[in-house]
Amino acid sequence: MMLETMLALFAPVIAQLGLGVDAWSLILIVGTVIVYFVVAIATHVTDTDEFYVADRSIPAIVNGAAVAADWMSAASFISLAGLVSFLGYDGTIYLMGWTGGYVVLALLIAPYLRKYGKYTIPDFIGDRYYSDTARGVAALATLFVSLTYIAGQMRGVGIVLSRFLGLDITIGIIVALGLVALIGVIGGMEAITWTQAIQYTVLILAFLIVTAAISLDLTGNPFPQMALVTSDIGARLTQLQADIQMGRYIVPFREYSQLQVFAIALTLMIGTAGLPHVIMRFYTVPSASDARRSAGYALFFISLLYLSAPVLAIFAKFNLIQTLNGESVSTAQNIPWVERWSQTGLLTINDKNGDGVIQMTQSLTSEASEVFIDPDIIVLATPEVAGLAPIVIGLVAAGGLAAALSTADGLLIAMSSAVSHDIYYKIFNEEASQRKRLLVARIVILAAAVVAAYLGINPPGFVAEVVAIAFGLAAASLFPPILLGIFDRRMNREGAITGLLVGLIFTLVMVVLMRANVVLGFEEPLLDSFLGLGALGIGLYGSILNFAVALIISRFTPAPPDDVIELVEEIRYPRGSREAIAADGGSETTSDD
């Protein structure tokens, strides 16, 4: 609200500048990117502790903001409100799954892993299961999850740059990944943490301002959650949809069955708790106690957006239908924001019955509709639909870019750490010098960026879909061995490795078969569903397989060594949570409790 007040005070000055949407978008996007680079240069790193875990020196509140930025990717900023807007009740499964997963992560995973120390998730799995094979398999799982996840982020980047800077989506993705990779190469986790904290500030201001502005415009109340409860906007949207035969807005299980809703929400939940780039963030604070505090800060920061997204979804859909339905086709096509978004191919108007008037009588994502709108543009287009000031529209563009770049940053460092630290250093060359390890880490970032660019140009779905698939892979591969590694003393390497491989391979094969039209170039998917679940929820079956196989195998094979059992007890025991633990497992400072 403070920024809103400032914008109101400076509105006359801003208006005098005479800058339009494109100019403000260019200024704010380029300006924020320059800030990210300045931070990267100022925090450039020279050793592996700084590169992998920011020397474990990040304050809890800064890490909380960085975790929130890592968490609220392009899927949250760009796609979440669009999904709720288009799917209604069923779209809230993403909200429930991601939020619930964060609670699982904050309570059951993060503090324990931070207490253990080390650099990466494969590092924990390799040591906990006393096996380089386990370490290598976990590193491969990290690569699969991160590459899938980053494809969704790059699509978000492409959408922002193509619409607001006029770049081709492919060029936009390549340019953005080049920028992200350069920040990672220069500053590693140190630079990424501080840039993510700044990116969080940019994206949350953008999201809250546009939500408050639309709330004020539609209801006269600038507090969106309060406006939704006290005004009749929900009833008006329901009536509007009923008038155009679009069906009721809040009807459960219209797009997904009960089984699918349960499976997708649970997959997102446990997949979220297994995301390597988010878990790594908790290694950057001085102690397990700081990890808990940063988890609390992050929960507050995340809630600001997640409590606003469903409200924005309702406002956006009402505004969209009210603006376009019943409008003449020629008039609608000459509306500036319709023209601009039509050029990106993400919005099309097709007068199917030839009467010259738009009838929005079908789902807006259906090819049968006279208006086709990609769900990913809802948040980005809403300020223009509502006729907000150009500077606000530019700020939303910068916010969308910040959301995508912050997560892409984290994913690149997670992949770099998995290859350079867990595979190269820990498995193949333990004598490697700091300089050589840093060189490998930086080369891996560049190589991962190239692969990510390809996947971003050819994504297997829209942003939230791709991200949901990544969560499914994490749920089926990394989450079970992490959870069992903390809470099951009897779990051994044989069980963990077998379970991880079974869960990962099963889910990966299922996703490829169900997305064969995109991944393999077939005309149709080779498999629509498996036991009632599609690609978005199949990770649940993979996770169940992983748990079952791991538990069965571990009970018929030798127990872990005594020192590993003692390690599990030590991780779970609360004593020493304020101690800073070094990467080699030793204490760096003495506890004050």
Side-chain angles (χ1 to χ4, degrees), residues 367-405:
E367 292 183 1
S369 173
E370 291 195 335
V371 177
F372 172 82
I373 298 177
D374 190 300
D376 288 340
I377 73 172
I378 282 293
V379 170
L380 299 174
T382 291
E384 295 179 276
V385 179
L388 301 183
I391 189 173
V392 177
I393 299 171
L395 186 60
V396 171
L401 188 65
L405 293 184

Short mmCIF file of all heavy atoms in Angstrom, two decimals, residues 367-405:
data_model
loop_
_atom_site.label_atom_id
_atom_site.label_comp_id
_atom_site.label_asym_id
_atom_site.label_seq_id
_atom_site.Cartn_x
_atom_site.Cartn_y
_atom_site.Cartn_z
N GLU A 367 -10.95 -24.86 -27.96
CA GLU A 367 -10.83 -24.43 -29.35
C GLU A 367 -12.18 -24.07 -29.93
O GLU A 367 -12.28 -23.40 -30.96
CB GLU A 367 -10.16 -25.54 -30.18
CG GLU A 367 -8.70 -25.77 -29.81
CD GLU A 367 -8.05 -26.81 -30.71
OE1 GLU A 367 -8.76 -27.32 -31.60
OE2 GLU A 367 -6.86 -27.09 -30.52
N ALA A 368 -13.27 -24.52 -29.30
CA ALA A 368 -14.61 -24.22 -29.79
C ALA A 368 -15.04 -22.81 -29.42
O ALA A 368 -16.01 -22.29 -29.97
CB ALA A 368 -15.61 -25.23 -29.21
N SER A 369 -14.33 -22.18 -28.50
CA SER A 369 -14.71 -20.85 -28.05
C SER A 369 -14.36 -19.79 -29.11
O SER A 369 -13.39 -19.92 -29.85
CB SER A 369 -14.00 -20.51 -26.74
OG SER A 369 -14.23 -19.18 -26.38
N GLU A 370 -15.18 -18.72 -29.17
CA GLU A 370 -14.85 -17.62 -30.08
C GLU A 370 -13.71 -16.77 -29.54
O GLU A 370 -13.13 -15.98 -30.26
CB GLU A 370 -16.10 -16.76 -30.32
CG GLU A 370 -17.16 -17.47 -31.14
CD GLU A 370 -18.22 -16.53 -31.69
OE1 GLU A 370 -18.44 -15.45 -31.13
OE2 GLU A 370 -18.82 -16.89 -32.72
N VAL A 371 -13.43 -16.92 -28.26
CA VAL A 371 -12.26 -16.27 -27.65
C VAL A 371 -11.41 -17.35 -27.01
O VAL A 371 -11.87 -18.07 -26.14
CB VAL A 371 -12.67 -15.24 -26.58
CG1 VAL A 371 -11.44 -14.64 -25.92
CG2 VAL A 371 -13.54 -14.15 -27.18
N PHE A 372 -10.19 -17.49 -27.48
CA PHE A 372 -9.25 -18.44 -26.87
C PHE A 372 -8.20 -17.65 -26.11
O PHE A 372 -7.55 -16.76 -26.68
CB PHE A 372 -8.57 -19.32 -27.92
CG PHE A 372 -7.46 -20.16 -27.34
CD1 PHE A 372 -7.74 -21.35 -26.68
CD2 PHE A 372 -6.15 -19.73 -27.41
CE1 PHE A 372 -6.73 -22.11 -26.13
CE2 PHE A 372 -5.12 -20.49 -26.86
CZ PHE A 372 -5.41 -21.68 -26.22
N ILE A 373 -8.04 -17.96 -24.84
CA ILE A 373 -7.06 -17.26 -24.01
C ILE A 373 -6.20 -18.28 -23.29
O ILE A 373 -6.70 -19.18 -22.63
CB ILE A 373 -7.75 -16.36 -22.97
CG1 ILE A 373 -8.58 -15.28 -23.68
CG2 ILE A 373 -6.73 -15.69 -22.05
CD1 ILE A 373 -9.34 -14.39 -22.74
N ASP A 374 -4.88 -18.13 -23.43
CA ASP A 374 -3.95 -19.00 -22.71
C ASP A 374 -4.00 -18.61 -21.23
O ASP A 374 -3.88 -17.43 -20.89
CB ASP A 374 -2.54 -18.81 -23.26
CG ASP A 374 -1.57 -19.85 -22.74
OD1 ASP A 374 -1.39 -19.92 -21.50
OD2 ASP A 374 -0.98 -20.57 -23.54
N PRO A 375 -4.18 -19.58 -20.32
CA PRO A 375 -4.27 -19.25 -18.89
C PRO A 375 -3.05 -18.49 -18.38
O PRO A 375 -3.15 -17.74 -17.40
CB PRO A 375 -4.38 -20.62 -18.21
CG PRO A 375 -4.89 -21.54 -19.27
CD PRO A 375 -4.34 -21.04 -20.56
N ASP A 376 -1.90 -18.67 -19.04
CA ASP A 376 -0.68 -18.03 -18.56
C ASP A 376 -0.67 -16.51 -18.71
O ASP A 376 0.22 -15.84 -18.18
CB ASP A 376 0.54 -18.62 -19.28
CG ASP A 376 0.83 -20.04 -18.81
OD1 ASP A 376 0.36 -20.41 -17.73
OD2 ASP A 376 1.52 -20.77 -19.55
N ILE A 377 -1.63 -15.96 -19.44
CA ILE A 377 -1.56 -14.51 -19.65
C ILE A 377 -2.52 -13.74 -18.73
O ILE A 377 -2.56 -12.51 -18.77
CB ILE A 377 -1.86 -14.12 -21.12
CG1 ILE A 377 -3.35 -14.28 -21.45
CG2 ILE A 377 -0.99 -14.91 -22.07
CD1 ILE A 377 -3.71 -13.72 -22.82
N ILE A 378 -3.28 -14.46 -17.91
CA ILE A 378 -4.31 -13.79 -17.11
C ILE A 378 -3.72 -12.68 -16.23
O ILE A 378 -4.18 -11.53 -16.24
CB ILE A 378 -5.05 -14.82 -16.23
CG1 ILE A 378 -6.07 -15.58 -17.09
CG2 ILE A 378 -5.79 -14.14 -15.09
CD1 ILE A 378 -7.22 -14.71 -17.60
N VAL A 379 -2.72 -13.01 -15.43
CA VAL A 379 -2.15 -12.01 -14.52
C VAL A 379 -1.48 -10.89 -15.30
O VAL A 379 -1.62 -9.71 -14.96
CB VAL A 379 -1.13 -12.68 -13.56
CG1 VAL A 379 -0.34 -11.62 -12.79
CG2 VAL A 379 -1.87 -13.59 -12.60
N LEU A 380 -0.76 -11.25 -16.35
CA LEU A 380 -0.03 -10.23 -17.12
C LEU A 380 -0.97 -9.32 -17.90
O LEU A 380 -0.69 -8.14 -18.11
CB LEU A 380 0.96 -10.91 -18.07
CG LEU A 380 2.03 -11.78 -17.39
CD1 LEU A 380 2.85 -12.53 -18.43
CD2 LEU A 380 2.95 -10.92 -16.53
N ALA A 381 -2.10 -9.87 -18.36
CA ALA A 381 -3.01 -9.07 -19.18
C ALA A 381 -4.03 -8.29 -18.36
O ALA A 381 -4.55 -7.27 -18.81
CB ALA A 381 -3.76 -9.99 -20.16
N THR A 382 -4.30 -8.76 -17.13
CA THR A 382 -5.34 -8.13 -16.33
C THR A 382 -5.16 -6.63 -16.11
O THR A 382 -6.13 -5.87 -16.22
CB THR A 382 -5.46 -8.87 -14.97
OG1 THR A 382 -5.98 -10.17 -15.23
CG2 THR A 382 -6.40 -8.14 -14.03
N PRO A 383 -3.96 -6.13 -15.81
CA PRO A 383 -3.82 -4.68 -15.64
C PRO A 383 -4.23 -3.89 -16.89
O PRO A 383 -4.81 -2.82 -16.80
CB PRO A 383 -2.33 -4.50 -15.35
CG PRO A 383 -1.88 -5.82 -14.84
CD PRO A 383 -2.71 -6.84 -15.56
N GLU A 384 -3.94 -4.46 -18.06
CA GLU A 384 -4.33 -3.78 -19.30
C GLU A 384 -5.84 -3.85 -19.52
O GLU A 384 -6.45 -2.87 -19.94
CB GLU A 384 -3.60 -4.41 -20.49
CG GLU A 384 -2.10 -4.23 -20.45
CD GLU A 384 -1.43 -4.90 -21.63
OE1 GLU A 384 -1.16 -6.12 -21.54
OE2 GLU A 384 -1.17 -4.23 -22.64
N VAL A 385 -6.42 -5.01 -19.21
CA VAL A 385 -7.86 -5.15 -19.36
C VAL A 385 -8.58 -4.15 -18.45
O VAL A 385 -9.59 -3.55 -18.82
CB VAL A 385 -8.31 -6.59 -19.01
CG1 VAL A 385 -9.83 -6.72 -19.15
CG2 VAL A 385 -7.62 -7.59 -19.92
N ALA A 386 -8.03 -3.95 -17.25
CA ALA A 386 -8.65 -3.04 -16.29
C ALA A 386 -8.30 -1.58 -16.56
O ALA A 386 -8.79 -0.69 -15.87
CB ALA A 386 -8.21 -3.42 -14.88
N GLY A 387 -7.43 -1.33 -17.55
CA GLY A 387 -7.06 0.05 -17.89
C GLY A 387 -6.22 0.73 -16.83
O GLY A 387 -6.32 1.95 -16.63
N LEU A 388 -5.36 -0.03 -16.13
CA LEU A 388 -4.50 0.57 -15.11
C LEU A 388 -3.37 1.38 -15.77
O LEU A 388 -3.12 1.27 -16.96
CB LEU A 388 -3.92 -0.52 -14.21
CG LEU A 388 -4.94 -1.39 -13.46
CD1 LEU A 388 -4.22 -2.37 -12.56
CD2 LEU A 388 -5.89 -0.52 -12.65
N ALA A 389 -2.69 2.19 -14.95
CA ALA A 389 -1.64 3.07 -15.47
C ALA A 389 -0.51 2.25 -16.10
O ALA A 389 -0.20 1.15 -15.64
CB ALA A 389 -1.10 3.92 -14.33
N PRO A 390 0.12 2.80 -17.14
CA PRO A 390 1.21 2.07 -17.81
C PRO A 390 2.33 1.64 -16.88
O PRO A 390 2.90 0.56 -17.04
CB PRO A 390 1.72 3.09 -18.84
CG PRO A 390 0.53 3.94 -19.15
CD PRO A 390 -0.22 4.05 -17.85
N ILE A 391 2.63 2.46 -15.86
CA ILE A 391 3.72 2.07 -14.95
C ILE A 391 3.36 0.83 -14.15
O ILE A 391 4.21 -0.01 -13.85
CB ILE A 391 4.08 3.25 -14.00
CG1 ILE A 391 5.36 2.89 -13.22
CG2 ILE A 391 2.95 3.59 -13.07
CD1 ILE A 391 5.89 4.04 -12.39
N VAL A 392 2.08 0.66 -13.83
CA VAL A 392 1.64 -0.54 -13.10
C VAL A 392 1.75 -1.76 -14.01
O VAL A 392 2.20 -2.83 -13.59
CB VAL A 392 0.19 -0.38 -12.61
CG1 VAL A 392 -0.29 -1.66 -11.92
CG2 VAL A 392 0.09 0.79 -11.64
N ILE A 393 1.38 -1.59 -15.27
CA ILE A 393 1.50 -2.70 -16.23
C ILE A 393 2.96 -3.09 -16.40
O ILE A 393 3.31 -4.28 -16.43
CB ILE A 393 0.88 -2.29 -17.58
CG1 ILE A 393 -0.61 -1.97 -17.40
CG2 ILE A 393 1.07 -3.40 -18.61
CD1 ILE A 393 -1.27 -1.34 -18.61
N GLY A 394 3.84 -2.09 -16.48
CA GLY A 394 5.27 -2.37 -16.58
C GLY A 394 5.81 -3.07 -15.35
O GLY A 394 6.66 -3.96 -15.43
N LEU A 395 5.29 -2.67 -14.18
CA LEU A 395 5.73 -3.30 -12.93
C LEU A 395 5.31 -4.77 -12.88
O LEU A 395 6.07 -5.63 -12.42
CB LEU A 395 5.13 -2.55 -11.74
CG LEU A 395 5.60 -2.99 -10.35
CD1 LEU A 395 7.10 -2.83 -10.20
CD2 LEU A 395 4.87 -2.20 -9.26
N VAL A 396 4.12 -5.06 -13.37
CA VAL A 396 3.67 -6.46 -13.42
C VAL A 396 4.56 -7.27 -14.36
O VAL A 396 4.91 -8.43 -14.07
CB VAL A 396 2.19 -6.54 -13.86
CG1 VAL A 396 1.78 -7.99 -14.13
CG2 VAL A 396 1.29 -5.95 -12.78
N ALA A 397 4.94 -6.68 -15.47
CA ALA A 397 5.85 -7.38 -16.39
C ALA A 397 7.18 -7.67 -15.70
O ALA A 397 7.71 -8.79 -15.80
CB ALA A 397 6.07 -6.52 -17.64
N ALA A 398 7.71 -6.67 -14.98
CA ALA A 398 8.98 -6.88 -14.26
C ALA A 398 8.80 -7.93 -13.17
O ALA A 398 9.70 -8.72 -12.90
CB ALA A 398 9.46 -5.56 -13.66
N GLY A 399 7.62 -7.94 -12.53
CA GLY A 399 7.34 -8.93 -11.49
C GLY A 399 7.28 -10.34 -12.05
O GLY A 399 7.82 -11.28 -11.46
N GLY A 400 6.63 -10.51 -13.20
CA GLY A 400 6.56 -11.82 -13.83
C GLY A 400 7.93 -12.33 -14.21
O GLY A 400 8.26 -13.51 -14.03
N LEU A 401 8.76 -11.42 -14.73
CA LEU A 401 10.12 -11.80 -15.10
C LEU A 401 10.92 -12.17 -13.85
O LEU A 401 11.67 -13.17 -13.85
CB LEU A 401 10.80 -10.65 -15.84
CG LEU A 401 12.16 -10.98 -16.45
CD1 LEU A 401 12.02 -12.01 -17.55
CD2 LEU A 401 12.82 -9.71 -16.98
N ALA A 402 10.75 -11.39 -12.78
CA ALA A 402 11.47 -11.68 -11.53
C ALA A 402 11.10 -13.05 -10.99
O ALA A 402 11.96 -13.81 -10.52
CB ALA A 402 11.17 -10.60 -10.50
N ALA A 403 9.81 -13.40 -11.05
CA ALA A 403 9.36 -14.70 -10.55
C ALA A 403 10.01 -15.84 -11.31
O ALA A 403 10.47 -16.83 -10.72
CB ALA A 403 7.84 -14.79 -10.65
N ALA A 404 10.04 -15.72 -12.63
CA ALA A 404 10.62 -16.79 -13.45
C ALA A 404 12.13 -16.88 -13.27
O ALA A 404 12.70 -17.97 -13.13
CB ALA A 404 10.27 -16.57 -14.92
N LEU A 405 12.79 -15.71 -13.24
CA LEU A 405 14.25 -15.72 -13.14
C LEU A 405 14.72 -16.21 -11.78
O LEU A 405 15.73 -16.90 -11.68
CB LEU A 405 14.79 -14.30 -13.38
CG LEU A 405 14.61 -13.73 -14.80
CD1 LEU A 405 15.28 -12.36 -14.91
CD2 LEU A 405 15.19 -14.67 -15.85
#
